[in-house]
């Protein structure tokens, strides 16, 4: 048994949940899809919201609330169209050729933060 499985078992015991209702693989797949298709911080937020929706749906008598919420969230994440952020647009405008920071690592670090320059 992996450390992750032991952790999930501890959570299930602590909150008196049905272990069969916690599909580690499906939850991790949802987190991966949200992280890769949206951005990294979307992973915990997406899994939390899907779990929250599943809880609300279960309270309303839904048959498979966890599975339904995860499937809908996964579909949304996979269909997500990433838009450039303002920072990315400004960066592209300042360096249209995309050559900033292509010098050595040391040069890029000192350009980004002068306090990182070596003496």
């Amino acid at each position: 048994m992996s450390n992750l499985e032991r952790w999930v078992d501890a959570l299930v015991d602590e909150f008196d949940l049905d272990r069969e209702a916690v599909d580690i693989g499906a939850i991790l797949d949802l987190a991966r899809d949200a992280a890769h298709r949206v951005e990294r911080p979307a992973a915990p937020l997406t899994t939390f919201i899907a779990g929250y929706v599943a809880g609300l749906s279960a309270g309303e008598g839904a048959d498979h609330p966890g599975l339904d919420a995860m499937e809908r969230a996964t579909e949304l994440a996979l269909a997500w169209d990433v838009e450039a952020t303002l920072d990315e647009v400004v960066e592209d405008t300042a360096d249209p050729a995309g050559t900033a920071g292509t010098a050595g690592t040391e040069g890029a670090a000192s350009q980004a933060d002068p306090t990182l320059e070596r003496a």
Side-chain angles (χ1 to χ4, degrees), residues 1 22 45-46 87:
M1 178 180 286
V22 181
L45 294 171
T46 303
D87 290 341

Side-chain angles (χ1 to χ4, degrees), residues 109-119:
S110 64
Q111 288 173 6
D113 184 353
T115 62
L116 297 176
E117 289 185 25
R118 295 184 185 186

